Amino acid sequence: MLPAYLPNPVAALCGGGTPIDLGKNYSDNRRLFGDGKTWRGLIVGILAGVLIGLVQIWASGTFSFGMLPQQTLLSVTLLAIGALVGDLVKSFFKRRLGKERGAKWPVADQYDLVAGAFLLLLVFDPAWLFSQVTLAAFICILIITPILHRAVNIIGFLVKVKEVPW
Ligand code: CTP
Ligand code: MG
């Protein structure tokens, strides 16, 4: 899951500048995505996810981790893009609910990246998904993700990268 987990913290670290929605509003006169979703965060975040995935592919060829899924260029790309597209789609619906940037939205805030990553895998590489990710692994991901999410956001808040600890 590293290629899906890394893009969010990297976007928080490196994001900023032009918002993806270019400051535009939706028909409800609220922002399409908001200032928390920027082009730089999206692009640098995805690149970081793909890069860590390439390191995984290299490492699994050099050492042997028999129990781990064998990543491919496609799988790591889908995991990385899916994580931040999931985050972006989440923000679209968050704005429609009238929640401001950075507002808390339990469950959605924690699972957006998992939903995005797995949906892209399901559509564009189902053979990889079903051959590499067991049900047990998927359940582990569902348990670990909100815990990691919370921990990383608290750290981000303490080091002043994030404005809120969620
Ligand atoms: N970020 C970014 N571009 C992205 C995603 C995130 O620049 N595509 C940066 C922003 O600085 C954002 C921070 O990462 O504030 C934390 O991301 P997140 O918690 O997802 O955004 P929020 O500010 O909470 O906005 P939202 O309410 O829309 O989730
Ligand atoms: Mg947030």
Side-chain angles (χ1 to χ4, degrees), residues 11-12 15-16 36-38 41-42 87 90-91 94-95 101-102 162:
K37 306 294 124 154
T38 67
L42 183 74
D87 176 60
K90 184 263 327 257
S91 288
K94 209 168 165 181
R95 299 297 93 81
R101 171 195 180 178
K162 282 209 59 155

Side-chain angles (χ1 to χ4, degrees), residues 77-99:
T77 305
L78 294 172
L79 284 166
I81 294 177
L84 284 187
V85 170
D87 176 60
L88 188 64
V89 171
K90 184 263 327 257
S91 288
F92 174 81
F93 289 109
K94 209 168 165 181
R95 299 297 93 81
R96 306 290 72 76
L97 291 175
K99 294 181 189 290

Side-chain angles (χ1 to χ4, degrees), residues 44-110:
V44 180
I46 290 172
L47 287 178
V50 173
L51 203 70
I52 197 77
L54 292 178
V55 172
Q56 288 181 312
I57 293 170
W58 166 81
S60 71
T62 306
F63 315 103
S64 93
F65 309 110
M67 65 297 183
L68 288 182
Q70 181 54 55
Q71 299 280 16
T72 62
L73 180 60
L74 181 61
S75 72
V76 302
T77 305
L78 294 172
L79 284 166
I81 294 177
L84 284 187
V85 170
D87 176 60
L88 188 64
V89 171
K90 184 263 327 257
S91 288
F92 174 81
F93 289 109
K94 209 168 165 181
R95 299 297 93 81
R96 306 290 72 76
L97 291 175
K99 294 181 189 290
E100 297 299 328
R101 171 195 180 178
K104 229 180 201 168
W105 191 14
V107 186
D109 277 329
Q110 286 84 48

